[in-house]
Amino acid sequence: MSSIKIECVVSETYKIGESPVWEEKEGTLLFVDITGQKVCRWDPSTKKVQSVSVEAPIGSVALRKSGGYVLAMGNTFSALNWEDQSVTTLARVDEDKPNNRFNDGKVDPEGRFLAGTMSQEIRPAVVERNQGSLFTLYPDHSVVKHFDMVDISNGLDWSLDHKTLYYIDSLSFKVDALDYDMKTGKSSNRRTLYKLQQDEGIPDGMCIDAEGKLWVACYNGGRVIRIDPETGKQIQTVKLPIDKTTSCCFGGPDYSEMYVTSACDGMDEDWKKRQPQSGGIYKITGLGVKGIAPTAFAG
């Protein structure tokens, strides 16, 4: 077993760092600061972060085939042109719920962008319950709702054979599995795959590795856990030096590095003193497993 190394590679403190995505073409890491309302891009070769401010809380960012990025922000799916920093609305959701906003999202292997909503937080991880839904933005910019009654729509990814969608509604403290029809983008037969232990925290962002195992960032748990979907068992825990771990993705030249985002929102001065790098971005090496390149939105 190789030795695992954890380092804080971006020490700027983001309120709610989230949605890390490796951009292979640029060799950069994309991520967002949800309540800081920023899309950020970190270049490991220069150690510099560039950012674009947007006009609403931004839940997630994804690559876009035609250039730029696709965003789930406020109650819109939008496109970001990085060069001129312009944002164009592609579609709106939850227009009857003015207090809702998008949260985590990811592009499926066919190039559709899935993202879910939640009501704005009263304080970290405290929301009006059952207000969110999971949506798909199709390449023609039409939107379909999968289901509603969600508390905090969060991490998602697909099995290696693309037949299963893994999904997290944070306050259920579970990772769910759904049958996924890759031809149509429809989901069905939602069921529980893994229930978090009390000390593991709140399930947040998630990604899959090249062995088909899931990695879940645990908010307030200060860790990422690895789950085997075949057995529904947790098979590895990697603890970080901060509590508010939010999401994870694989990246680097061969996708052998894991990047973990974090938050500092809602921490008092004493907590911040103990964990001054909360809200930073962490790199984990030596996991001995690789990830999978993200798909770009096809529309």
Side-chain angles (χ1 to χ4, degrees):
M1 188 76 182
S2 52
S3 64
I4 292 170
K5 182 179 166 208
I6 299 166
E7 59 179 315
C8 182
V9 290
V10 182
S11 55
E12 279 175 61
T13 52
Y14 298 97
K15 290 182 189 171
I16 310 178
E18 259 284 2
S19 185
V21 183
W22 184 257
E23 187 167 17
E24 200 172 315
K25 178 165 59 80
E26 307 284 338
T28 50
L29 183 76
L30 279 175
F31 59 95
V32 302
D33 183 352
I34 297 181
T35 47
Q37 301 186 183
K38 283 191 290 215
V39 183
C40 306
R41 195 163 81 175
W42 174 68
D43 185 335
S45 62
T46 63
K47 307 276 189 279
K48 294 234 172 10
V49 176
Q50 296 174 299
S51 64
V52 172
S53 290
V54 293
E55 291 186 358
I58 168 142
S60 42
V61 60
L63 309 177
R64 191 179 184 200
K65 212 172 175 177
S66 57
Y69 307 111
V70 64
L71 315 175
M73 57 177 266
N75 71 338
T76 70
F77 283 112
S78 296
L80 169 63
N81 178 324
W82 187 264
E83 306 315 317
D84 67 9
Q85 305 197 354
S86 61
V87 175
T88 313
T89 299
L90 304 177
R92 289 180 193 280
V93 304
D94 283 356
E95 290 188 83
D96 57 331
K97 293 183 174 176
N99 197 38
N100 271 20
R101 67 158 174 87
F102 266 118
N103 203 40
D104 210 349
K106 195 166 278 180
V107 176
D108 82 5
E110 280 292 309
R112 309 172 191 102
F113 186 33
L114 278 74
T117 55
M118 58 184 279
S119 68
Q120 303 265 11
E121 288 178 301
I122 299 157
R123 55 185 182 278
V126 179
V127 294
E128 189 184 343
R129 307 288 295 254
N130 300 328
Q131 296 303 302
S133 301
L134 180 67
F135 296 94
T136 292
L137 176 70
Y138 283 75
D140 66 359
H141 303 171
S142 62
V143 174
V144 168
K145 183 192 286 191
H146 290 260
F147 46 80
D148 53 16
M149 300 297 286
V150 170
D151 291 325
I152 299 179
S153 191
N154 234 317
L156 61 169
D157 216 329
W158 288 264
S159 59
L160 300 185
D161 66 6
H162 303 165
K163 288 179 180 168
T164 306
L165 165 64
Y166 301 114
Y167 174 75
I168 290 169
D169 177 357
S170 288
L171 297 188
S172 72
F173 293 88
K174 292 187 305 204
V175 180
D176 288 342
L178 297 96
D179 297 341
Y180 196 77
D181 184 338
M182 198 50 74
K183 280 206 282 293
T184 63
K186 298 267 171 42
S187 64
S188 59
N189 186 25
R190 188 173 168 189
R191 57 213 180 262
T192 299
L193 180 72
Y194 178 77
K195 177 95 169 134
L196 271 79
Q197 305 297 312
Q198 204 157 4
D199 67 333
E200 289 180 326
I202 302 170
D204 201 330
M206 167 169 63
C207 67
I208 198 161
D209 65 31
E211 295 174 4
K213 309 291 192 284
L214 296 169
W215 292 84
V216 179
C218 302
Y219 184 79
N220 285 346
R223 67 191 69 192
V224 287
I225 57 173
R226 191 181 190 214
I227 295 161
D228 184 347
E230 297 289 306
T231 62
K233 297 245 185 316
Q234 185 259 87
I235 51 174
Q236 190 176 353
T237 298
V238 180
K239 292 196 175 172
L240 285 92
I242 41 140
D243 294 326
K244 290 185 178 285
T245 37
T246 55
S247 192
C248 53
C249 79
F250 284 92
D254 60 354
Y255 290 95
S256 66
E257 302 163 352
M258 176 178 279
Y259 289 95
V260 180
T261 50
S262 70
C264 63
D265 203 29
M267 291 172 67
D268 61 25
E269 287 312 306
D270 187 45
W271 197 350
K272 280 182 182 160
K273 271 200 195 86
R274 277 184 287 123
Q275 300 181 357
Q277 290 179 314
S278 295
I281 311 282
Y282 287 79
K283 179 170 83 168
I284 305 175
T285 49
L287 288 172
V289 66
K290 292 180 181 180
I292 289 164
T295 312
F297 175 61

